[in-house]
Amino acid sequence: MDKMTERHTIGVLVDNEAGVLARVVGLFSGRGYNIDSLTVAVVDQNDDQSRITIVTTGTPQVIEQIKAQLGRLVPVHGVTDLTVEGPHVEREMALVKVAGSGETRVESLRIADIFRARVVDSTITSFVFEITGSTDKINSFVGLMRPLGLVDVSRTGVVAISRGDKPM
Amino acid sequence: MASAELTGAEIVLKSLVDQGVKVVFGYPGGSVLPIYDAFFEQNKIKHVLVRHEQGAVHAAEGYARSTGKPGVVLVTSGPGATNAVTGLTDALMDSIPVICLTGQVPSHLIGTDAFQEADTVGITRPCTKHNYLVKDTADLARIMHDAFYVATNGRPGPVVVDLPKDIMINTGPYVGPKRAQHSSYKPQVKGNLAAIKEAVELIAGAKKPLFYTGGGVINSGPGASTLLREFVRQTSAPITSTLMGLGAFPSTDESFLGMVGMHGNYEANLAMAECDVMICVGARFDDRVTGRLDAFAKKSKKIHIDIDPSSINKNVPVDIPIVGDVGHVLEDMIKVWKSTARKLDKKANDSWWASIAKWREKDCLKYFQGKDIAKPQYVLETLQKAVDGKDAYVTTDVGQHQMWAAQYLKFQDPNRWMTSGGLGTMGYGLPAAIGVQMAHPKSPVVCVTGEASFMMNIQELSTAVQYRLPVKILLLNNRYMGMVRQWQELLHGNRYSESYMESLPDFAKVADAFGLDSLFADHPDQVENLIADMMACEGPVIAEVMIDQKENCFPMIPSGAAHYEMILGPNDDQPTVSAKGAALV
Ligand SMILES: Cc1ncc(C[n+]2csc(CCOP(=O)(O)OP(=O)(O)O)c2C)c(N)n1
Ligand SMILES: [Mg+2]
């Protein structure tokens, strides 16, 4: 890509119906857009709506296209570009499995403490840490765990919401 | 079971009736037999039995484009649905409202690779505007009406409703079409007034304004064409149109510069390059119009009216986007224009028209008709004379003949010109003509085709004969995939790899075998009579003209070139196309 690309976090409110995720994902793959992360879950039981959070990178023109293309999908109720629409909170959760013994094991626990990661499973030879935070924070935590016996990582991808009292 | 309940098949039929559907184009099979059974017991809707499901979709497209109403298709599961895919993609690319009902294996067999099972919603997701798999007969009526709403509102397009066989047999309640708003799909119809005012300001200050109009004007309805005519008159600005938009503005009008784009008129493309304010109305800056993007219309500020927000700034950045229905936006624009009593700068406008007159002097559509072999341009001009004042409908296939038809026929009204623009689907012309003729039984319907395209859906001759549809097939036979040959000349050193049409059938015998009339001309002197006879035919007819095999379609913007770098004729310097240009389609 020769032009400057930007990273955007986009929230999409959709009808929770069969195939809706395939429509969104198909749109990205069919038109060659990037998906850095994608999360989806039902957020409104009554109206049966799900919220999808997509993190994507592209030129400003591509980002505009992505939003317009999402907006015209029939089961989409709303699209919000959190990156441009003002202050927002982004969080990601990860479960990080580290195996080891002796000093490395103690060190992993110490770092987990600094990162406010919780131990959610433990054996004599392993820990599973639960950590929540920005993508950067999780990246650095995982990076630090690597030499200390990192075994597995499972990440949720980004969820995001705007600050203040307004809905999307 | 409440007595008011209907079977799924009855619900399908009743919702079609309530949606005002008069004709369905279809082909039966195991999974849709219950619906066909329901058809058998009624006479409100006519079913047209096509000979291939692709033909059904194109026929529905022809019906839709010539009436402004949605076309309806009914096909069986598996191969029936996959055969419809090309037609659906065609309708999506050209924004044609089509409702395609596909049979599906019974719910409990879905996912088991059952006989004639295909993942129809999966396959058609990217080639429809929207699609539905009905999982409960109780949802069926709502989904049917939803499908019509989605297909016809906003930017129109094809919608598939996949109908498992058990859903057709089970019973459920019927609900009528409700006027209530769709819960999530609410396209913006009225344009933003501030943007409209800004646009009017910009137009009023223009020294070289130009209307660049497209299929969106046609899709908005005949009222939009009327408003476009009025606005063009008010501003006295020149106007050009895409392939899809022909007919929205009379092509015989002085203000009309002809079609724009790869095979558009010289004056139209030059005006696009030179204008200072471009008013894009329901067109989408397609690559066939822009040529090389970085050289496209650099001197202009651009206003873009489009009902689809995703069309705005997609290929070309614009200065004033107006999202809304063309008709509504034009109406408001004209109001603002009049209320502020705007007028273009007379002197500037005169000199703009003087430049246009210069470009027109090139007479870019001139051709030379020799004594021995008919030129396609001459055949089409002869056709034009024959249909003048007759309110004729024209469909085409894809290739050189399509471009010649666009260049040499004259269009007076919207909804009279049906051609596969976005997808460029060979095989479109004949079934589309069948759909048009179904909608307009008394009007002349001409399908301008090439021998290669014609053979792609030639089986539909049988449909035309069965329903006594007097479609007039004007077959311009150059014994080549002419457009392919032309590109091979331009880009591949005249190496005619697989573009010669070997072993062509005797089309007179084909006509005879299918039970229709045929006419033949292989000399220019015979062309006038052939066209006259064709017009006089009461039934379907193949009128075949042997045309100059070597004729190429000009003017042309070669691929990769800027839109002002046109080749005007075979004697022009043939440009060397860059490697980058050669990679383009
Ligand atoms: C289904 C399909 N296959 C291939 C093409 C590529 N193609 C474009 S024009 C053309 C040749 C058309 O030949 P003919 O119908 O004889 O028209 P002519 O150009 O000779 O007027 C071909 C093969 C296409 N447009 N559609
Ligand atoms: Mg040909």
Side-chain angles (χ1 to χ4, degrees), chain A residues 15 17-19 22-23 61 64-65 68-69 72 74-77, chain B residues 125 130-131 135 150 155 182-185 308-310 312-314:
Chain A
D15 282 329
E17 62 182 32
R23 272 179 225 290
Q61 198 182 0
E64 186 186 337
Q65 264 296 298
Q69 294 287 352
R72 71 182 193 146
V74 170
V76 167
H77 287 262
Chain B
R125 200 174 286 126
H130 194 55
N131 61 15
K135 294 188 162 164
V150 170
R155 179 176 178 173
H182 192 274
S183 71
S184 57
Y185 188 65
D308 179 359
S310 80
I312 308 258
N313 292 335
K314 182 169 63 181

Side-chain angles (χ1 to χ4, degrees), chain B residues 302-463:
Chain B
K302 297 175 187 70
I303 299 161
H304 187 182
I305 306 171
D306 204 301
I307 198 157
D308 179 359
S310 80
S311 286
I312 308 258
N313 292 335
K314 182 169 63 181
N315 301 333
V316 173
V318 297
D319 302 278
I320 307 180
I322 304 173
V323 174
D325 169 64
V326 164
H328 284 84
V329 174
L330 284 179
E331 192 179 356
D332 287 343
M333 265 192 168
I334 294 171
K335 262 191 218 145
V336 175
W337 181 270
K338 282 185 178 160
S339 72
T340 49
R342 305 313 299 249
K343 259 208 171 79
L344 289 185
D345 175 351
K346 170 98 171 67
K347 224 172 98 200
N349 206 30
D350 285 350
S351 90
W352 179 222
W353 275 107
S355 325
I356 290 168
K358 273 250 153 48
W359 298 324
R360 271 181 168 160
E361 275 170 20
K362 290 255 185 195
D363 194 10
C364 68
L365 293 181
K366 66 172 174 284
Y367 64 93
F368 177 71
Q369 173 61 66
K371 284 204 300 288
D372 302 323
I373 182 79
K375 294 282 184 172
Q377 300 93 327
Y378 169 67
V379 181
L380 287 159
E381 280 188 343
T382 312
L383 172 66
Q384 178 54 42
K385 282 190 200 129
V387 297
D388 242 355
K390 286 217 171 68
D391 199 29
Y393 293 76
V394 178
T395 73
T396 77
D397 267 297
V398 172
Q400 292 180 318
H401 64 274
Q402 174 189 33
M403 293 299 119
W404 285 316
Q407 293 172 332
Y408 291 89
L409 295 179
K410 302 281 177 247
F411 306 92
Q412 297 300 336
D413 290 300
N415 305 103
R416 303 297 192 280
W417 164 247
M418 273 58 55
T419 193
S420 171
L423 195 63
T425 313
M426 290 169 69
Y428 172 88
L430 173 58
I434 286 172
V436 174
Q437 192 82 74
M438 275 307 295
H440 309 277
K442 296 262 173 339
S443 305
V445 177
V446 183
C447 165
V448 177
T449 187
E451 77 296 333
S453 295
F454 183 40
M455 289 208 288
M456 283 224 178
N457 271 320
I458 200 165
Q459 76 287 344
E460 298 307 327
L461 286 175
S462 177
T463 312

Side-chain angles (χ1 to χ4, degrees), chain B residues 450-452 476 478-482:
Chain B
E451 77 296 333
L476 301 180
N478 54 5
R479 284 142 292 166
Y480 269 105
M481 299 172 195

Side-chain angles (χ1 to χ4, degrees), chain B residues 219-233:
Chain B
N219 273 336
S220 177
S225 293
T226 311
L227 289 163
L228 177 67
R229 289 160 197 224
E230 185 181 345
F231 198 34
V232 171
R233 215 175 315 113

Side-chain angles (χ1 to χ4, degrees), chain B residues 131-380:
Chain B
N131 61 15
Y132 303 84
L133 170 64
V134 185
K135 294 188 162 164
D136 186 339
T137 308
D139 298 331
L140 179 57
R142 175 187 58 78
I143 289 176
M144 286 293 296
H145 298 308
D146 244 31
F148 276 84
Y149 173 85
V150 170
T152 54
N153 280 274
R155 179 176 178 173
V159 174
V160 160
V161 184
D162 202 24
L163 302 164
K165 193 168 184 181
D166 54 317
I167 304 293
M168 294 298 92
I169 291 164
N170 296 346
T171 59
Y174 180 77
V175 291
K178 54 176 186 324
R179 287 286 109 212
Q181 270 205 335
H182 192 274
S183 71
S184 57
Y185 188 65
K186 297 164 192 152
Q188 185 176 338
V189 176
K190 292 283 274 183
N192 177 299
L193 202 58
I196 290 174
K197 285 184 175 151
E198 207 189 326
V200 166
E201 264 327 292
L202 186 62
I203 299 169
K207 294 193 165 15
K208 302 171 177 181
L210 176 69
F211 284 92
Y212 151 49
T213 62
V217 185
I218 314 264
N219 273 336
S220 177
S225 293
T226 311
L227 289 163
L228 177 67
R229 289 160 197 224
E230 185 181 345
F231 198 34
V232 171
R233 215 175 315 113
Q234 297 263 341
T235 57
S236 64
I239 171 171
T240 179
S241 166
T242 66
L243 180 72
M244 291 297 296
L246 294 173
F249 193 85
S251 38
T252 44
D253 193 290
E254 257 306 293
S255 310
F256 192 65
L257 307 186
M259 182 172 73
V260 70
M262 184 173 270
H263 292 290
N265 279 4
Y266 181 72
E267 53 268 40
N269 283 315
L270 268 278
M272 287 286 270
E274 292 299 321
C275 66
D276 67 348
V277 172
M278 183 185 290
I279 311 140
C280 170
V281 191
R284 60 182 177 89
F285 297 95
D286 176 80
D287 56 76
R288 281 297 180 271
V289 163
T290 61
R292 200 175 75 234
L293 263 184
D294 61 19
F296 175 70
K298 296 197 96 64
K299 300 177 183 172
S300 54
K301 292 235 184 259
K302 297 175 187 70
I303 299 161
H304 187 182
I305 306 171
D306 204 301
I307 198 157
D308 179 359
S310 80
S311 286
I312 308 258
N313 292 335
K314 182 169 63 181
N315 301 333
V316 173
V318 297
D319 302 278
I320 307 180
I322 304 173
V323 174
D325 169 64
V326 164
H328 284 84
V329 174
L330 284 179
E331 192 179 356
D332 287 343
M333 265 192 168
I334 294 171
K335 262 191 218 145
V336 175
W337 181 270
K338 282 185 178 160
S339 72
T340 49
R342 305 313 299 249
K343 259 208 171 79
L344 289 185
D345 175 351
K346 170 98 171 67
K347 224 172 98 200
N349 206 30
D350 285 350
S351 90
W352 179 222
W353 275 107
S355 325
I356 290 168
K358 273 250 153 48
W359 298 324
R360 271 181 168 160
E361 275 170 20
K362 290 255 185 195
D363 194 10
C364 68
L365 293 181
K366 66 172 174 284
Y367 64 93
F368 177 71
Q369 173 61 66
K371 284 204 300 288
D372 302 323
I373 182 79
K375 294 282 184 172
Q377 300 93 327
Y378 169 67
V379 181
L380 287 159

